[in-house]
Coordinates of all heavy atoms in Angstrom, one line a residue:
M1 N 192.3 132.4 17.7 CA 192.4 131.1 17.9 C 193.6 130.7 18.8 O 194.6 131.4 18.8 CB 192.7 130.4 16.5 CG 191.5 130.5 15.6 SD 191.8 129.6 14.0 CE 191.2 128.0 14.5
Q2 N 193.4 129.6 19.5 CA 194.4 129.2 20.4 C 195.4 128.4 19.7 O 195.1 127.6 18.8 CB 193.8 128.4 21.5 CG 192.8 129.2 22.4 CD 193.5 130.2 23.2 OE1 194.6 130.1 23.6 NE2 192.9 131.3 23.3
P3 N 196.7 128.5 20.0 CA 197.7 127.6 19.5 C 197.4 126.1 19.7 O 196.9 125.8 20.8 CB 199.1 128.0 20.1 CG 198.8 129.1 21.0 CD 197.3 129.3 21.1
I4 N 197.8 125.2 18.9 CA 197.6 123.8 19.0 C 198.9 123.2 19.5 O 199.9 123.2 18.9 CB 197.1 123.2 17.7 CG1 195.9 123.8 17.2 CG2 197.0 121.7 17.9 CD1 195.4 123.4 15.9
D5 N 198.8 122.6 20.7 CA 200.0 122.0 21.3 C 200.1 120.5 21.2 O 201.1 119.9 21.6 CB 200.1 122.4 22.8 CG 200.3 123.9 23.0 OD1 200.9 124.5 22.2 OD2 199.8 124.4 24.0
T6 N 199.1 119.8 20.8 CA 199.0 118.4 20.7 C 199.1 118.0 19.2 O 198.6 118.7 18.3 CB 197.7 117.8 21.3 OG1 196.6 118.4 20.7 CG2 197.6 118.2 22.8
P7 N 199.7 116.8 19.0 CA 199.7 116.3 17.6 C 198.3 116.1 17.0 O 197.4 115.8 17.7 CB 200.4 115.0 17.8 CG 201.0 115.0 19.1 CD 200.2 115.9 19.9
L8 N 198.2 116.4 15.7 CA 196.9 116.4 15.1 C 196.8 115.2 14.2 O 197.9 114.8 13.5 CB 196.7 117.7 14.2 CG 196.5 118.9 15.0 CD1 196.6 120.1 14.0 CD2 195.3 119.0 15.8
P9 N 195.7 114.6 14.0 CA 195.5 113.5 13.0 C 195.7 114.1 11.5 O 195.5 115.4 11.4 CB 194.2 113.0 13.2 CG 193.5 114.0 14.0 CD 194.5 114.8 14.8
T10 N 196.0 113.3 10.6 CA 196.2 113.8 9.2 C 195.0 114.6 8.7 O 195.2 115.6 8.1 CB 196.4 112.6 8.3 OG1 197.7 112.0 8.7 CG2 196.7 113.1 6.9
S11 N 193.8 114.2 9.0 CA 192.6 114.8 8.5 C 192.5 116.3 9.1 O 192.2 117.2 8.4 CB 191.3 114.1 8.8 OG 191.2 113.9 10.2
A12 N 192.9 116.4 10.3 CA 192.9 117.7 11.0 C 193.9 118.6 10.4 O 193.8 119.8 10.2 CB 193.0 117.6 12.5
K13 N 195.1 118.0 10.1 CA 196.1 118.9 9.4 C 195.7 119.3 8.1 O 196.0 120.5 7.7 CB 197.4 118.0 9.3 CG 198.1 117.7 10.6 CD 199.3 116.8 10.4 CE 199.9 116.3 11.7 NZ 201.0 115.4 11.5
L14 N 195.0 118.4 7.3 CA 194.5 118.9 6.0 C 193.4 120.0 6.1 O 193.4 121.0 5.4 CB 193.9 117.7 5.2 CG 195.0 116.7 4.8 CD1 194.3 115.5 4.1 CD2 195.9 117.3 3.8
Q15 N 192.6 119.9 7.2 CA 191.6 120.9 7.4 C 192.3 122.3 7.8 O 191.9 123.3 7.3 CB 190.6 120.5 8.5 CG 189.7 119.4 8.1 CD 188.9 118.9 9.2 OE1 189.0 119.2 10.4 NE2 187.9 118.1 8.9
L16 N 193.3 122.1 8.6 CA 194.0 123.4 9.0 C 194.7 124.0 7.8 O 194.6 125.2 7.6 CB 195.1 123.0 10.1 CG 195.7 124.1 10.9 CD1 194.7 125.0 11.5 CD2 196.8 123.5 11.9
L17 N 195.3 123.2 6.9 CA 195.9 123.7 5.8 C 194.9 124.4 4.9 O 195.1 125.5 4.3 CB 196.7 122.7 5.0 CG 197.3 123.0 3.7 CD1 198.3 124.2 3.8 CD2 197.9 121.8 3.0
S18 N 193.8 123.7 4.7 CA 192.7 124.3 3.9 C 192.2 125.6 4.4 O 192.0 126.5 3.7 CB 191.5 123.3 3.7 OG 191.9 122.1 3.2
I19 N 192.0 125.7 5.7 CA 191.5 126.9 6.3 C 192.5 128.0 6.1 O 192.2 129.2 5.8 CB 191.2 126.7 7.8 CG1 189.9 125.8 8.0 CG2 191.0 128.0 8.5 CD1 189.7 125.3 9.3
H20 N 193.8 127.6 6.3 CA 194.8 128.7 6.1 C 194.9 129.2 4.7 O 195.0 130.4 4.4 CB 196.2 128.1 6.5 CG 197.3 129.1 6.3 ND1 197.6 130.2 7.2 CD2 198.3 129.2 5.4 CE1 198.6 130.9 6.7 NE2 199.1 130.3 5.6
L21 N 194.8 128.3 3.7 CA 194.8 128.7 2.3 C 193.5 129.5 2.0 O 193.6 130.6 1.3 CB 194.7 127.5 1.4 CG 196.1 126.8 1.3 CD1 196.0 125.5 0.5 CD2 197.2 127.6 0.7
L22 N 192.4 129.2 2.5 CA 191.2 130.0 2.4 C 191.3 131.4 3.0 O 190.9 132.4 2.4 CB 189.9 129.3 2.9 CG 189.5 128.1 2.1 CD1 188.4 127.3 2.9 CD2 188.9 128.5 0.8
H23 N 192.0 131.4 4.1 CA 192.2 132.7 4.8 C 193.1 133.6 3.9 O 192.8 134.8 3.8 CB 192.8 132.5 6.2 CG 193.1 133.7 7.0 ND1 192.1 134.5 7.4 CD2 194.2 134.2 7.4 CE1 192.6 135.6 8.0 NE2 193.9 135.4 8.0
E24 N 194.1 133.0 3.4 CA 195.1 133.8 2.6 C 194.4 134.3 1.3 O 194.5 135.3 0.8 CB 196.3 132.9 2.2 CG 197.2 132.7 3.4 CD 197.8 134.1 3.9 OE1 198.2 135.0 3.1 OE2 197.9 134.2 5.1
A25 N 193.5 133.3 0.7 CA 192.8 133.7 -0.5 C 191.9 134.9 -0.2 O 191.6 135.8 -1.1 CB 192.0 132.5 -1.0
S26 N 191.3 134.9 1.0 CA 190.4 136.0 1.3 C 191.1 137.4 1.4 O 190.4 138.4 1.4 CB 189.6 135.7 2.7 OG 190.6 135.9 3.7
K27 N 192.4 137.4 1.5 CA 193.2 138.7 1.6 C 193.4 139.2 0.2 O 193.8 140.4 0.1 CB 194.5 138.4 2.2 CG 194.5 138.0 3.7 CD 195.9 137.8 4.2 CE 195.9 137.2 5.6 NZ 197.3 137.0 6.0
G28 N 193.2 138.4 -0.8 CA 193.3 138.9 -2.2 C 194.8 139.2 -2.5 O 195.7 138.6 -2.0
P29 N 195.0 140.3 -3.2 CA 196.4 140.7 -3.6 C 197.3 141.0 -2.4 O 198.5 141.1 -2.5 CB 196.2 141.9 -4.5 CG 194.8 141.8 -5.1 CD 194.1 141.2 -4.0
A30 N 196.7 141.3 -1.3 CA 197.6 141.7 -0.1 C 198.3 140.4 0.5 O 199.2 140.6 1.3 CB 196.7 142.3 1.0
S31 N 197.9 139.3 0.1 CA 198.5 138.0 0.6 C 199.7 137.7 0.0 O 199.9 137.9 -1.3 CB 197.5 136.8 0.4 OG 198.2 135.6 0.7
F32 N 200.7 137.3 0.7 CA 202.1 136.9 0.2 C 201.8 135.8 -0.8 O 202.6 135.6 -1.8 CB 203.0 136.5 1.4 CG 204.2 135.8 0.9 CD1 205.3 136.5 0.5 CD2 204.3 134.4 0.9 CE1 206.5 135.9 0.1 CE2 205.4 133.8 0.5 CZ 206.6 134.5 0.0
W33 N 200.8 134.9 -0.5 CA 200.6 133.7 -1.4 C 199.7 134.0 -2.6 O 199.4 133.1 -3.3 CB 199.9 132.7 -0.5 CG 200.9 132.1 0.6 CD1 200.8 132.5 1.9 CD2 201.9 131.3 0.4 NE1 201.9 131.9 2.6 CE2 202.5 131.1 1.7 CE3 202.5 130.6 -0.7 CZ2 203.6 130.3 1.8 CZ3 203.6 129.8 -0.5 CH2 204.2 129.6 0.8
H34 N 199.3 135.2 -2.8 CA 198.4 135.6 -3.9 C 198.8 135.0 -5.2 O 198.0 134.4 -6.0 CB 198.2 137.1 -3.9 CG 197.1 137.5 -5.0 ND1 195.8 137.2 -4.8 CD2 197.3 138.2 -6.1 CE1 195.2 137.7 -5.9 NE2 196.0 138.3 -6.7
P35 N 200.1 135.2 -5.6 CA 200.5 134.7 -7.0 C 200.3 133.1 -7.1 O 199.9 132.6 -8.1 CB 202.0 135.1 -7.1 CG 202.2 136.2 -6.1 CD 201.2 135.9 -5.0
Y36 N 200.6 132.4 -6.0 CA 200.4 131.0 -6.0 C 199.0 130.6 -6.0 O 198.5 129.8 -6.8 CB 201.1 130.4 -4.7 CG 200.7 129.0 -4.5 CD1 201.2 127.9 -5.3 CD2 199.8 128.6 -3.5 CE1 200.8 126.6 -5.1 CE2 199.4 127.3 -3.3 CZ 199.9 126.3 -4.1 OH 199.6 125.0 -3.9
L37 N 198.2 131.3 -5.1 CA 196.7 131.0 -5.1 C 196.0 131.3 -6.5 O 195.1 130.6 -6.8 CB 196.1 131.8 -3.9 CG 196.6 131.4 -2.6 CD1 196.1 132.4 -1.6 CD2 196.3 130.0 -2.3
R38 N 196.5 132.3 -7.2 CA 195.9 132.6 -8.5 C 196.1 131.4 -9.5 O 195.3 131.3 -10.4 CB 196.4 133.8 -9.0 CG 195.9 135.1 -8.3 CD 196.4 136.3 -9.0 NE 196.2 136.1 -10.5 CZ 195.9 137.2 -11.3 NH1 195.8 138.4 -10.8 NH2 195.8 136.9 -12.5
Q39 N 197.1 130.6 -9.2 CA 197.4 129.5 -10.2 C 196.5 128.3 -9.9 O 196.4 127.4 -10.8 CB 198.9 129.1 -10.1 CG 199.8 130.2 -10.5 CD 199.6 130.8 -11.9 OE1 199.4 130.1 -12.8 NE2 199.4 132.1 -11.9
L40 N 195.9 128.2 -8.7 CA 195.1 127.0 -8.4 C 193.8 127.2 -9.1 O 193.2 128.2 -9.4 CB 194.8 127.1 -6.8 CG 196.0 126.9 -6.0 CD1 195.6 127.0 -4.5 CD2 196.7 125.6 -6.2
P41 N 193.2 125.9 -9.5 CA 191.9 125.9 -10.2 C 190.8 126.5 -9.4 O 190.8 126.3 -8.2 CB 191.8 124.4 -10.5 CG 192.6 123.6 -9.6 CD 193.7 124.6 -9.2
R42 N 190.0 127.2 -10.0 CA 188.8 127.8 -9.4 C 187.7 126.8 -9.3 O 186.8 126.9 -8.4 CB 188.3 129.0 -10.1 CG 189.3 130.2 -10.2 CD 189.4 130.9 -9.0 NE 188.3 131.7 -8.8 CZ 188.1 132.5 -7.6 NH1 188.9 132.3 -6.6 NH2 187.0 133.2 -7.5
Q43 N 187.6 125.8 -10.2 CA 186.6 124.8 -10.1 C 187.3 123.4 -10.4 O 188.3 123.4 -11.1 CB 185.5 125.0 -11.2 CG 184.8 126.3 -11.0 CD 183.8 126.5 -12.2 OE1 183.1 125.5 -12.6 NE2 183.7 127.7 -12.7
F44 N 186.7 122.4 -9.9 CA 187.1 121.1 -10.2 C 186.0 120.0 -10.0 O 185.1 120.4 -9.2 CB 188.4 120.6 -9.5 CG 188.3 120.8 -8.0 CD1 187.8 119.8 -7.2 CD2 188.6 122.0 -7.4 CE1 187.7 119.9 -5.8 CE2 188.5 122.2 -6.0 CZ 188.0 121.1 -5.3
T45 N 186.1 118.9 -10.5 CA 185.0 118.0 -10.3 C 185.6 116.7 -9.6 O 186.6 116.2 -10.1 CB 184.4 117.5 -11.7 OG1 183.9 118.7 -12.4 CG2 183.3 116.5 -11.5
T46 N 185.0 116.4 -8.5 CA 185.3 115.2 -7.8 C 184.1 114.4 -7.5 O 183.0 115.0 -7.6 CB 186.1 115.6 -6.5 OG1 185.2 116.3 -5.6 CG2 187.3 116.4 -6.7
L47 N 184.3 113.2 -7.1 CA 183.1 112.3 -6.8 C 182.2 112.8 -5.8 O 181.1 112.7 -5.8 CB 183.7 110.9 -6.4 CG 182.8 109.7 -6.4 CD1 182.1 109.6 -7.7 CD2 183.5 108.5 -6.0
M48 N 182.8 113.6 -4.8 CA 182.0 114.1 -3.7 C 181.0 115.2 -4.2 O 180.1 115.5 -3.6 CB 182.9 114.7 -2.6 CG 183.6 115.9 -2.9 SD 184.7 116.4 -1.6 CE 185.4 117.8 -2.2
S49 N 181.3 115.8 -5.4 CA 180.4 116.9 -5.9 C 179.5 116.5 -7.0 O 178.8 117.3 -7.6 CB 181.3 118.1 -6.3 OG 182.1 117.7 -7.4
W50 N 179.5 115.2 -7.3 CA 178.6 114.7 -8.4 C 177.1 114.9 -8.0 O 176.8 114.6 -6.9 CB 178.8 113.3 -8.7 CG 180.1 113.1 -9.5 CD1 181.1 113.9 -9.7 CD2 180.3 111.8 -10.3 NE1 182.1 113.2 -10.5 CE2 181.6 112.0 -10.9 CE3 179.7 110.6 -10.5 CZ2 182.2 111.1 -11.7 CZ3 180.2 109.7 -11.3 CH2 181.5 109.9 -11.9
P51 N 176.3 115.2 -8.9 CA 174.9 115.3 -8.6 C 174.2 113.9 -8.4 O 174.9 112.9 -8.9 CB 174.2 116.0 -9.8 CG 175.2 115.9 -10.9 CD 176.5 115.7 -10.3
V52 N 173.1 113.8 -7.7 CA 172.6 112.5 -7.5 C 172.3 111.7 -8.7 O 172.6 110.5 -8.7 CB 171.2 112.7 -6.7 CG1 170.5 111.4 -6.5 CG2 171.4 113.4 -5.4
A53 N 171.8 112.3 -9.8 CA 171.5 111.6 -11.0 C 172.8 111.0 -11.6 O 172.8 109.8 -12.1 CB 170.9 112.5 -12.1
A54 N 174.0 111.6 -11.5 CA 175.2 111.1 -12.0 C 175.7 109.9 -11.1 O 176.2 108.9 -11.7 CB 176.3 112.2 -12.1
V55 N 175.5 110.0 -9.9 CA 175.9 108.9 -9.0 C 175.0 107.8 -9.2 O 175.5 106.6 -9.3 CB 175.8 109.3 -7.5 CG1 176.0 108.1 -6.6 CG2 176.8 110.4 -7.2
E56 N 173.7 107.9 -9.4 CA 172.8 106.8 -9.7 C 173.1 106.2 -11.1 O 172.8 105.0 -11.2 CB 171.3 107.3 -9.6 CG 170.9 107.7 -8.2 CD 169.5 108.3 -8.1 OE1 169.0 108.6 -9.2 OE2 169.0 108.4 -7.0
A57 N 173.7 106.9 -12.0 CA 174.0 106.4 -13.3 C 175.2 105.4 -13.2 O 175.4 104.7 -14.2 CB 174.2 107.4 -14.3
L58 N 176.0 105.4 -12.1 CA 177.1 104.6 -12.0 C 176.6 103.1 -11.9 O 175.6 102.9 -11.3 CB 177.9 104.9 -10.8 CG 178.6 106.2 -10.7 CD1 179.2 106.5 -9.3 CD2 179.7 106.3 -11.8
Q59 N 177.2 102.3 -12.7 CA 176.6 100.9 -12.8 C 177.0 99.9 -11.7 O 176.3 98.9 -11.5 CB 177.0 100.4 -14.1 CG 176.3 101.2 -15.3 CD 176.6 100.6 -16.7 OE1 177.2 99.5 -16.8 NE2 176.3 101.4 -17.7
L60 N 178.1 100.2 -11.0 CA 178.5 99.3 -10.0 C 178.0 99.8 -8.6 O 178.2 101.0 -8.3 CB 180.0 99.2 -10.0 CG 180.7 98.6 -11.2 CD1 182.2 98.7 -11.1 CD2 180.3 97.1 -11.3
P61 N 177.4 99.0 -7.9 CA 176.9 99.4 -6.6 C 178.1 99.9 -5.7 O 178.0 100.9 -4.9 CB 176.4 98.1 -5.9 CG 176.0 97.3 -7.1 CD 177.0 97.6 -8.1
Y62 N 179.4 99.3 -5.8 CA 180.5 99.8 -5.0 C 180.8 101.2 -5.4 O 181.1 102.0 -4.5 CB 181.7 98.9 -5.3 CG 182.9 99.5 -4.6 CD1 183.1 99.4 -3.2 CD2 183.9 100.2 -5.3 CE1 184.2 99.8 -2.6 CE2 185.0 100.7 -4.6 CZ 185.2 100.5 -3.3 OH 186.2 101.0 -2.7
A63 N 180.6 101.6 -6.7 CA 180.9 103.0 -7.1 C 179.9 104.0 -6.5 O 180.3 105.0 -6.1 CB 180.9 103.1 -8.6
Q64 N 178.7 103.5 -6.4 CA 177.7 104.4 -5.8 C 177.9 104.6 -4.4 O 177.8 105.6 -3.8 CB 176.2 103.8 -6.0 CG 175.8 103.8 -7.5 CD 174.5 103.1 -7.7 OE1 174.0 102.4 -6.8 NE2 174.0 103.3 -8.9
E65 N 178.3 103.5 -3.7 CA 178.7 103.5 -2.3 C 179.9 104.5 -2.0 O 180.0 105.2 -1.0 CB 179.0 102.1 -1.7 CG 177.7 101.3 -1.6 CD 178.1 99.8 -1.4 OE1 179.2 99.5 -1.0 OE2 177.2 99.0 -1.5
A66 N 180.9 104.4 -2.9 CA 182.1 105.3 -2.8 C 181.7 106.7 -3.0 O 182.2 107.5 -2.2 CB 183.2 104.8 -3.9
A67 N 180.8 107.0 -3.9 CA 180.4 108.4 -4.0 C 179.7 108.9 -2.8 O 179.9 110.0 -2.4 CB 179.4 108.4 -5.3
A68 N 178.7 108.0 -2.3 CA 178.0 108.4 -1.1 C 179.0 108.6 0.0 O 178.8 109.6 0.9 CB 177.0 107.4 -0.7
A69 N 179.9 107.8 0.2 CA 180.9 107.9 1.3 C 181.8 109.2 1.1 O 182.0 109.9 2.1 CB 181.9 106.7 1.3
A70 N 182.1 109.5 -0.1 CA 182.9 110.7 -0.4 C 182.1 112.0 -0.1 O 182.5 113.0 0.5 CB 183.4 110.8 -1.8
Q71 N 180.8 111.9 -0.4 CA 179.9 113.1 -0.1 C 179.7 113.2 1.4 O 179.7 114.4 1.9 CB 178.6 112.9 -0.8 CG 178.7 113.1 -2.3 CD 177.5 112.6 -3.1 OE1 176.6 112.0 -2.6 NE2 177.5 113.0 -4.4
Q72 N 179.5 112.1 2.1 CA 179.4 112.2 3.6 C 180.6 112.7 4.3 O 180.6 113.6 5.1 CB 179.0 110.8 4.2 CG 178.8 110.8 5.6 CD 177.8 111.9 6.2 OE1 176.7 112.1 5.5 NE2 178.1 112.6 7.2
K73 N 181.8 112.3 3.7 CA 183.0 112.7 4.3 C 183.2 114.3 4.1 O 183.6 115.0 5.0 CB 184.2 112.0 3.7 CG 185.5 112.4 4.3 CD 186.7 111.6 3.7 CE 188.0 112.1 4.3 NZ 189.2 111.5 3.7
A74 N 182.8 114.7 2.9 CA 182.9 116.1 2.6 C 182.0 117.0 3.5 O 182.4 118.0 4.1 CB 182.6 116.5 1.2
R75 N 180.8 116.5 3.8 CA 179.9 117.1 4.7 C 180.4 117.2 6.1 O 180.3 118.2 6.8 CB 178.5 116.5 4.6 CG 177.7 116.8 3.4 CD 176.2 116.4 3.6 NE 176.1 114.9 3.5 CZ 176.0 114.2 2.4 NH1 176.0 114.8 1.2 NH2 175.9 112.9 2.4
S76 N 181.0 116.1 6.6 CA 181.4 116.1 8.0 C 182.7 116.9 8.1 O 182.8 117.6 9.1 CB 181.7 114.6 8.4 OG 182.8 114.1 7.7
E77 N 183.5 117.0 7.1 CA 184.7 117.8 7.2 C 184.4 119.3 7.1 O 184.9 120.1 7.7 CB 185.7 117.5 6.1 CG 186.5 116.1 6.3 CD 187.5 115.8 5.3 OE1 187.6 116.5 4.3 OE2 188.1 114.7 5.5
W78 N 183.3 119.6 6.3 CA 182.8 121.0 6.3 C 182.3 121.4 7.6 O 182.5 122.5 8.2 CB 181.7 121.1 5.2 CG 181.0 122.4 5.3 CD1 179.7 122.6 5.7 CD2 181.5 123.7 4.9 NE1 179.4 124.0 5.6 CE2 180.5 124.6 5.1 CE3 182.8 124.2 4.4 CZ2 180.6 126.0 4.8 CZ3 182.9 125.5 4.2 CH2 181.8 126.5 4.4
A79 N 181.5 120.5 8.2 CA 181.0 120.7 9.6 C 182.1 121.0 10.6 O 182.0 121.8 11.5 CB 180.0 119.7 10.0
A80 N 183.1 120.2 10.5 CA 184.3 120.3 11.5 C 185.0 121.6 11.2 O 185.6 122.2 12.2 CB 185.2 119.1 11.3
A81 N 185.1 122.1 10.0 CA 185.9 123.3 9.7 C 185.0 124.6 10.0 O 185.6 125.7 10.2 CB 186.3 123.3 8.2
R82 N 183.7 124.5 10.0 CA 182.9 125.7 10.1 C 183.2 126.5 11.4 O 183.3 127.7 11.2 CB 181.4 125.3 10.2 CG 180.8 125.1 8.8 CD 179.4 124.8 8.9 NE 178.6 125.9 9.3 CZ 178.0 126.8 8.5 NH1 178.2 126.7 7.2 NH2 177.3 127.8 9.0
P83 N 183.5 125.9 12.6 CA 183.8 126.8 13.7 C 185.1 127.7 13.5 O 185.0 128.8 13.9 CB 184.0 125.8 14.9 CG 183.2 124.6 14.5 CD 183.3 124.5 13.0
A84 N 186.1 127.0 13.0 CA 187.3 127.9 12.7 C 187.0 128.9 11.6 O 187.5 130.1 11.8 CB 188.4 127.0 12.2
L85 N 186.3 128.6 10.6 CA 186.0 129.5 9.5 C 185.1 130.7 10.1 O 185.3 131.8 9.8 CB 185.3 128.9 8.4 CG 186.1 127.9 7.6 CD1 185.2 127.1 6.7 CD2 187.2 128.6 6.8
K86 N 184.2 130.4 11.0 CA 183.4 131.4 11.7 C 184.2 132.3 12.5 O 184.1 133.5 12.5 CB 182.3 130.7 12.5 CG 181.3 131.7 13.0 CD 180.2 131.0 13.8 CE 179.3 132.1 14.3 NZ 178.2 131.5 15.0
E87 N 185.1 131.7 13.3 CA 186.1 132.5 14.1 C 186.9 133.4 13.3 O 187.2 134.6 13.7 CB 186.9 131.6 15.0 CG 187.7 132.4 16.0 CD 188.4 131.5 16.9 OE1 188.0 130.3 17.2 OE2 189.4 131.9 17.5
L88 N 187.3 133.0 12.1 CA 188.1 133.9 11.3 C 187.3 134.9 10.4 O 187.8 135.6 9.7 CB 188.9 133.0 10.3 CG 190.0 132.2 10.9 CD1 190.6 131.2 9.9 CD2 191.2 133.1 11.3
G89 N 185.9 134.8 10.6 CA 185.1 135.6 9.9 C 185.0 135.3 8.4 O 184.7 136.2 7.6
M90 N 185.2 134.1 8.1 CA 185.3 133.7 6.6 C 184.0 133.1 6.0 O 183.9 132.9 4.9 CB 186.4 132.8 6.4 CG 187.8 133.4 6.7 SD 189.2 132.3 6.4 CE 188.9 132.0 4.7
L91 N 183.0 132.7 6.9 CA 181.9 132.1 6.4 C 181.2 133.0 5.4 O 180.7 132.6 4.3 CB 180.9 131.7 7.5 CG 181.4 130.5 8.3 CD1 180.3 130.1 9.4 CD2 181.5 129.2 7.4
Q92 N 181.1 134.3 5.7 CA 180.4 135.3 4.8 C 181.2 135.4 3.5 O 180.7 135.4 2.4 CB 180.3 136.6 5.5 CG 179.5 137.6 4.6 CD 179.3 139.0 5.2 OE1 179.7 139.1 6.4 NE2 178.7 139.8 4.5
W93 N 182.6 135.5 3.6 CA 183.4 135.6 2.5 C 183.2 134.4 1.6 O 183.1 134.5 0.4 CB 184.9 135.7 2.9 CG 185.8 135.8 1.7 CD1 186.1 136.8 1.0 CD2 186.6 134.7 1.1 NE1 187.0 136.5 0.0 CE2 187.3 135.2 0.1 CE3 186.7 133.4 1.6 CZ2 188.2 134.4 -0.7 CZ3 187.6 132.6 0.8 CH2 188.3 133.1 -0.3
L94 N 183.2 133.1 2.2 CA 183.0 131.9 1.4 C 181.7 132.0 0.7 O 181.6 131.5 -0.5 CB 183.2 130.7 2.2 CG 184.6 130.3 2.6 CD1 184.6 129.2 3.6 CD2 185.3 129.9 1.3
S95 N 180.6 132.4 1.3 CA 179.3 132.4 0.7 C 179.2 133.4 -0.4 O 178.6 133.1 -1.5 CB 178.2 132.6 1.7 OG 178.3 134.0 2.2
L96 N 180.0 134.5 -0.4 CA 180.1 135.4 -1.5 C 180.9 134.8 -2.6 O 180.6 135.1 -3.8 CB 180.7 136.8 -1.0 CG 179.9 137.5 0.0 CD1 180.7 138.7 0.5 CD2 178.5 138.0 -0.6
W97 N 181.9 134.1 -2.3 CA 182.8 133.6 -3.3 C 182.3 132.4 -4.0 O 182.4 132.3 -5.2 CB 184.2 133.2 -2.6 CG 185.3 132.7 -3.5 CD1 185.8 133.4 -4.5 CD2 185.8 131.4 -3.4 NE1 186.8 132.6 -5.1 CE2 186.8 131.4 -4.5 CE3 185.7 130.3 -2.6 CZ2 187.6 130.3 -4.7 CZ3 186.5 129.2 -2.8 CH2 187.5 129.2 -3.9
H98 N 181.6 131.5 -3.3 CA 181.2 130.2 -3.9 C 179.7 129.9 -3.6 O 179.3 128.9 -4.0 CB 182.1 129.1 -3.4 CG 181.9 127.8 -4.0 ND1 181.8 127.7 -5.4 CD2 181.7 126.6 -3.5 CE1 181.6 126.4 -5.7 NE2 181.6 125.7 -4.5
G99 N 179.1 130.6 -2.8 CA 177.7 130.2 -2.5 C 177.7 129.6 -1.1 O 178.7 129.2 -0.6
P100 N 176.5 129.4 -0.5 CA 176.4 128.8 0.9 C 176.9 127.4 0.9 O 176.8 126.7 -0.1 CB 175.0 128.9 1.2 CG 174.3 129.1 -0.1 CD 175.2 129.8 -1.0
G101 N 177.6 127.0 1.9 CA 178.1 125.6 2.0 C 176.9 124.7 2.4 O 175.8 125.1 2.6
P102 N 177.2 123.4 2.4 CA 176.2 122.4 2.7 C 175.7 122.5 4.1 O 176.2 123.1 4.9 CB 177.0 121.1 2.5 CG 178.4 121.4 2.4 CD 178.6 122.8 2.2

């Protein structure tokens, strides 16, 4: 990967941090960050990962719209991160760890 010389928007910084953490996690016990990464939750539930039936059960239209927006944002951020993950050879590791991405 090429060094980044220009300021990044906050969303890109978060993606870069996420990619770095995933890269470190892929190293397993060889990573300096392994003890910290082991403390992070392996699963969590957020609005972006709710199934369609659960979103439809929300009674406020605004809540349904917020869920749809969160899901769309997650899809677009995943799409933006895929090239870097592919360059790092991590797409296969991620699919083994968590299943195929969206």
Side-chain angles (χ1 to χ4, degrees):
M1 294 183 86
Q2 297 295 323
I4 300 171
D5 296 330
T6 57
L8 296 172
T10 300
S11 61
K13 290 176 186 177
L14 291 174
Q15 288 173 353
L16 191 58
L17 175 61
S18 298
I19 290 168
H20 180 72
L21 287 172
L22 288 170
H23 180 65
E24 288 299 317
S26 74
K27 294 178 184 179
S31 171
F32 171 82
W33 294 102
H34 184 70
Y36 168 74
L37 295 171
R38 286 185 47 147
Q39 300 303 312
L40 297 177
R42 298 285 285 171
Q43 297 180 41
F44 53 91
T45 302
T46 62
L47 194 54
M48 68 182 181
S49 64
W50 282 20
V52 173
V55 172
E56 290 173 351
L58 295 170
Q59 296 181 9
L60 295 173
Y62 175 76
Q64 292 175 349
E65 292 167 10
Q71 291 169 345
Q72 180 55 42
K73 183 178 180 189
R75 282 191 291 274
S76 67
E77 288 181 359
W78 170 252
R82 279 182 71 89
L85 292 169
K86 184 176 182 180
E87 187 172 332
L88 289 169
M90 294 184 57
L91 286 179
Q92 182 178 2
W93 177 81
L94 281 173
S95 67
L96 293 173
W97 181 62
H98 186 49

